[in-house]
């Protein structure tokens, strides 16, 4: 019985070199070894497989594979080819050229941040596959991130224990109303709109932060319609059903039928971050995604600052 667990890759490399070159001396030259080192590796190989792999006629004549050696050489070359392919794939993975990235996101991050990030990532690394999971339920994103289903995720608010995150931007809450609802486009106090019908979102961290801010300002919001679809919120406001308090990132500032009003004094803004599990080693492509998300967040934050 052979002792294949004792085989080493260098033994197979020596076998291939001697079989290709025909002599131990030429194989040594090819590998950059001494001839005695090659002989020792072939001897170790023969001990491991318990059979001779070369017939050695002596003198200047080339060595020849034994029938046993020919069978072994075929497998050896398959193994060496697989090792070489693995080495190439690992090099590409280290460079961030290949792999699959699973990203958690929510509506406003998907529309305001992801296009710039994914566009640059695809331009740099076109062979990388990106899988997106969008959810308005924060607990779902945290659960999937913690369970390893997601590599990174856009998140809102405080970062739970066991995760790390990089803050991307501060997203203030604004009031959106139908054009002409208020006498001018300036800032509005909570007292000016809290008694009006409100369009809100379903229960999530943003809506909870929104409502807590309104109550802290002295009002009790009265919602007549709730939806987690940002477009539907805007449509209901446009139709005159009510006004809405939304994060700036969720608002279309180019809609001529709507006006966007700062809230003065402001209610607490939401903090958007990119998060990952603290105990998980990030792949190179995940690390690059975080870098691009940071840059995209800075660009969006600047636009928010310039917005009327």
């Amino acid at each position: 019985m052979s002792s294949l667990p004792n085989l080493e890759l260098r033994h197979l490399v020596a076998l291939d070199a001697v079989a290709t070159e025909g002599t131990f001396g030429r194989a040594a030259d090819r590998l950059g070894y001494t001839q005695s080192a090659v002989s020792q590796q072939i001897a170790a190989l023969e001990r491991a497989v318990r059979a001779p792999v070369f017939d050695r006629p002596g003198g200047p004549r080339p060595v020849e594979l034994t029938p046993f050696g020919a069978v072994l050489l075929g497998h050896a070359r398959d193994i060496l080819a697989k090792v070489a392919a693995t080495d190439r794939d690992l090099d590409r993975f280290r460079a961030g050229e290949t792999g699959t990235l699973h990203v958690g996101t929510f509506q406003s991050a998907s529309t305001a941040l992801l296009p710039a990030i994914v566009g640059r990532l695809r331009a740099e690394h076109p062979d990388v596959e990106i899988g997106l999971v969008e959810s308005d339920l924060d607990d779902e994103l945290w659960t999937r991130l913690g369970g390893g289903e997601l590599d990174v995720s856009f998140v809102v608010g405080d970062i739970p224990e066991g995760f790390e995150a990089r803050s991307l931007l501060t997203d203030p809450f604004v009031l959106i109303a139908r054009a002409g609802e208020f006498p001018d486009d300036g800032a509005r106090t909570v007292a000016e709109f809290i008694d009006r019908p409100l369009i809100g979102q379903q229960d999530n961290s943003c809506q909870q932060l929104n409502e807590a801010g309104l109550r802290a300002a002295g009002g009790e919001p009265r919602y007549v319609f709730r939806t987690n679809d940002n477009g539907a919120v805007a449509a209901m406001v446009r139709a005159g059903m009510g006004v809405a308090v939304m994060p700036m990132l969720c608002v279309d500032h180019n809609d001529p039928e709507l006006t966007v009003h700062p809230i003065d004094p402001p209610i607490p803004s939401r903090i958007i971050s990119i998060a990952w599990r603290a105990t998980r080693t990030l792949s190179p492509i995940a690390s690059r995604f975080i870098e691009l998300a940071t840059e995209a967040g800075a660009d969006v934050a600047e636009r928010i600052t310039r917005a009327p």
Side-chain angles (χ1 to χ4, degrees):
M1 181 178 178
S2 64
S3 301
L4 289 183
N6 295 327
L7 278 178
E8 299 179 20
L9 281 178
R10 62 196 181 102
H11 299 152
L12 301 182
V13 170
L15 171 66
D16 177 57
V18 174
T20 301
E21 299 298 333
T23 72
F24 283 67
R26 288 200 297 267
D29 291 339
R30 172 180 169 179
L31 298 175
Y33 298 160
T34 64
Q35 184 170 332
S36 63
V38 174
S39 296
Q40 290 169 9
Q41 289 174 19
I42 295 300
L45 171 65
E46 291 178 329
R47 286 194 299 272
V49 299
R50 297 187 180 182
V53 295
F54 289 110
D55 287 327
R56 300 163 174 82
R61 288 179 296 172
V63 298
E64 295 180 356
L65 284 166
T66 65
F68 191 95
V71 172
L72 180 58
L73 179 64
H75 289 289
R77 285 176 171 166
D78 288 343
I79 292 170
L80 294 175
K82 185 64 175 177
V83 169
T86 301
D87 192 37
R88 290 192 297 271
D89 286 348
L90 289 175
D91 281 343
R92 295 189 68 201
F93 186 81
R94 288 189 195 99
E97 296 176 2
T98 61
T100 301
L101 182 68
H102 299 283
V103 179
T105 183
F106 48 86
Q107 274 189 85
S108 53
S110 296
T111 56
L113 294 168
L114 267 180
I117 299 167
V118 172
R120 288 189 59 184
L121 201 63
R122 295 285 294 170
E124 293 176 4
H125 308 296
D127 292 334
V128 169
E129 296 183 11
I130 302 173
L132 300 177
V133 174
E134 185 175 274
S135 177
D136 292 312
L137 301 175
D138 305 291
D139 288 345
E140 179 181 358
L141 292 177
W142 285 119
T143 298
R144 291 194 175 205
L145 192 61
E149 295 180 55
L150 301 175
D151 298 299
V152 295
S153 183
F154 293 101
V155 294
V156 173
D158 295 334
I159 309 302
E161 185 178 354
F163 296 91
E164 295 182 32
R166 185 175 296 177
S167 178
L168 302 181
L169 70 146
T170 299
D171 189 18
F173 284 97
V174 293
L175 176 73
I176 63 170
R178 189 167 58 170
E181 183 88 11
F182 294 95
D184 57 62
D185 295 340
R188 305 263 79 92
T189 66
V190 171
E192 289 182 81
F193 64 81
I194 194 63
D195 291 331
R196 298 173 185 245
L198 285 171
I199 312 300
Q201 293 185 317
Q202 305 287 355
D203 188 31
N204 56 45
S205 63
C206 291
Q207 183 64 22
Q208 291 169 7
L209 186 61
N210 175 344
E211 293 183 25
L214 294 177
R215 291 189 178 100
E220 182 60 37
R222 179 171 59 90
Y223 293 96
V224 295
F225 184 78
R226 290 180 183 270
T227 174
N228 278 339
D229 187 313
N230 294 334
V233 171
M236 292 303 174
V237 173
R238 197 182 299 116
M241 192 172 182
V243 297
V245 174
M246 299 181 71
M248 180 84 82
L249 224 58
C250 300
V251 177
D252 179 5
H253 292 265
N254 297 317
D255 190 330
E257 298 182 56
L258 298 176
T259 54
V260 180
H261 303 271
I263 299 174
D264 186 24
I267 63 177
S269 302
R270 67 174 184 169
I271 308 299
I272 297 177
S273 304
I274 186 76
W276 60 94
R277 198 173 70 194
T279 56
R280 189 174 191 179
T281 299
L282 292 173
S283 67
I285 199 65
S287 296
R288 181 58 179 151
F289 187 94
I290 292 169
E291 292 174 0
L292 293 176
T294 304
E295 294 175 16
D299 290 341
V300 172
E302 185 178 352
R303 291 202 299 271
I304 286 176
T305 301
R306 296 197 307 263

